[in-house]
Amino acid sequence: MGKQQITFEHISMRKLVAHYNVCAAEWGEKDCIYNYNKFYYFMGGEGTIEIDGDVFHPKPEELYLIPAGVRHTYSHNPQNPVYKYWCHFDLSFHEGGLLTYHRDTLFTKLPKEQMIPLFEKLNQSFPAREPADSLLEKAALFEIFYHFVTNVDRERLFSQERNFFVEIMNEYLETHLTDNMELQDLARIVHLHPNYFIRIFRTYYHASPMEYIQIKRLEYAASLIRQHPEWTIEKIGYESGFVDYRYFGRAFKKRYGITPSMYRNMLC
């Protein structure tokens, strides 16, 4: 492994969910870790975010980026509730780079006149009518990310080690996503003992190998629903690598908060 600068030429981003809300009284969680990244754009209220002993009290027009795999605690004062735009998203660099936490790169202040229209685009339900509409959503997410990274210290935000483990895994998983994959087979590809392979895999993907494969299969299933609304849910699950379509339905709802049928109906 050697140093390689992130070029952004081969970057993948995917919105999982985005919304605007006034947080409920119970909003908050302690020592949580997620395998996706989070944008919070604060509009008001009294909130707290804590990471590695660093405590932050977000102010209006501050955009926070909490990287995947970072343990954090968040809460707010129900008497002065936080209201914000937010987005959960996947991000990957084909060079093998990772977002990392540093207290100086957690947030930046950006004007609401610039950011609200972008988050509003994310909140819309694409693709609604034309498949090309999804490009507007992707463009908004990329532009939000652009404004963030150009206003923080990128040297501290990115881990810039080129990692051949990631390159090999990305290529293999992309071409064998719907195949029956066993842990031992994946470990054998990179010549590692399965137990050590799991630890290395978690370092770079913030999930176990089987969890990550399921996430990618569910993303593929969502794309198939958009492309083939006439297919049955059973066929969508099978084509995405799920043998049991009932399990597929439960996993899809756990990931996206709605069933595959509800997701398809939203696109009509």
Side-chain angles (χ1 to χ4, degrees):
M1 294 187 293
K3 289 288 184 182
Q4 177 178 336
Q5 184 166 345
I6 296 295
T7 64
F8 301 104
E9 292 180 2
H10 303 289
I11 179 176
S12 298
M13 298 185 72
R14 180 189 295 272
K15 184 199 84 171
L16 301 177
V17 63
H19 199 46
Y20 169 83
N21 69 311
V22 178
C23 294
E26 65 273 14
W27 183 72
E29 199 167 356
K30 183 176 178 60
D31 292 333
C32 56
I33 302 177
Y34 294 103
N35 58 11
Y36 50 77
N37 306 277
K38 298 197 291 186
F39 270 134
Y40 287 153
Y41 185 64
F42 290 91
M43 300 295 293
E46 182 182 341
T48 301
I49 296 176
E50 182 176 351
I51 304 176
D52 288 348
D54 299 327
V55 179
F56 305 87
H57 299 287
K59 297 179 176 59
E61 298 188 298
E62 287 182 347
L63 177 64
Y64 278 67
L65 170 56
I66 301 177
V70 171
R71 186 183 300 274
H72 60 287
T73 295
Y74 61 94
S75 61
H76 76 138
N77 178 4
Q79 302 304 314
N80 185 18
V82 161
Y83 51 103
K84 58 179 173 48
Y85 288 91
W86 56 274
C87 174
H88 298 169
F89 63 98
D90 287 331
L91 169 69
S92 63
F93 296 94
H94 294 270
E95 299 98 329
L98 297 169
L99 294 181
T100 58
Y101 167 71
H102 190 282
R103 66 169 294 112
D104 294 336
T105 64
L106 183 65
F107 69 93
T108 185
K109 185 166 185 176
L110 295 166
K112 61 184 179 181
E113 294 80 10
Q114 182 181 56
M115 302 309 297
I116 289 179
L118 296 175
F119 275 99
E120 286 292 339
K121 288 181 182 179
L122 285 184
N123 290 349
Q124 297 177 41
S125 180
F126 291 120
R129 292 170 297 275
E130 297 293 334
D133 286 346
S134 63
L135 296 175
L136 297 176
E137 181 182 90
K138 286 183 176 291
L141 182 56
F142 271 101
E143 189 168 349
I144 292 170
F145 187 66
Y146 166 80
H147 289 307
F148 187 90
V149 300
T150 54
N151 282 278
V152 299
D153 185 346
R154 291 193 295 277
E155 294 295 321
R156 290 177 171 173
L157 180 62
F158 298 114
S159 170
Q160 296 180 333
E161 285 195 339
R162 183 169 182 238
N163 191 284
F164 292 103
F165 177 94
V166 173
E167 293 179 1
I168 293 171
M169 281 293 102
N170 284 350
E171 181 177 358
Y172 184 84
L173 294 177
E174 183 176 346
T175 55
H176 296 82
L177 183 61
T178 60
D179 295 349
N180 181 27
M181 288 183 275
E182 299 290 340
L183 178 63
Q184 292 80 358
D185 299 329
L186 295 173
R188 193 177 301 118
I189 293 169
V190 286
H191 311 290
L192 294 175
H193 186 278
N195 291 341
Y196 184 64
F197 169 78
I198 292 174
R199 293 201 296 271
I200 296 297
F201 194 97
R202 280 188 178 277
T203 298
Y204 291 101
Y205 293 93
H206 313 296
S208 73
M210 295 302 109
E211 288 171 342
Y212 184 78
I213 289 170
Q214 178 158 296
I215 288 171
K216 302 308 289 184
R217 284 175 174 170
L218 290 171
E219 291 177 353
Y220 182 54
S223 71
L224 288 180
I225 293 174
R226 296 193 295 269
Q227 296 168 26
H228 302 284
E230 75 281 4
W231 285 6
T232 66
I233 298 304
E234 184 174 4
K235 180 175 176 62
I236 292 290
Y238 179 77
E239 294 293 335
S240 305
F242 291 88
V243 177
D244 185 342
Y245 81 94
R246 293 183 181 86
Y247 174 76
F248 161 64
R250 293 194 299 270
F252 192 97
K253 184 175 182 180
K254 184 177 180 180
R255 175 70 173 171
Y256 293 107
I258 56 176
T259 65
S261 296
M262 293 170 62
Y263 182 81
R264 180 172 57 191
N265 292 338
M266 288 174 58
L267 305 179
C268 298

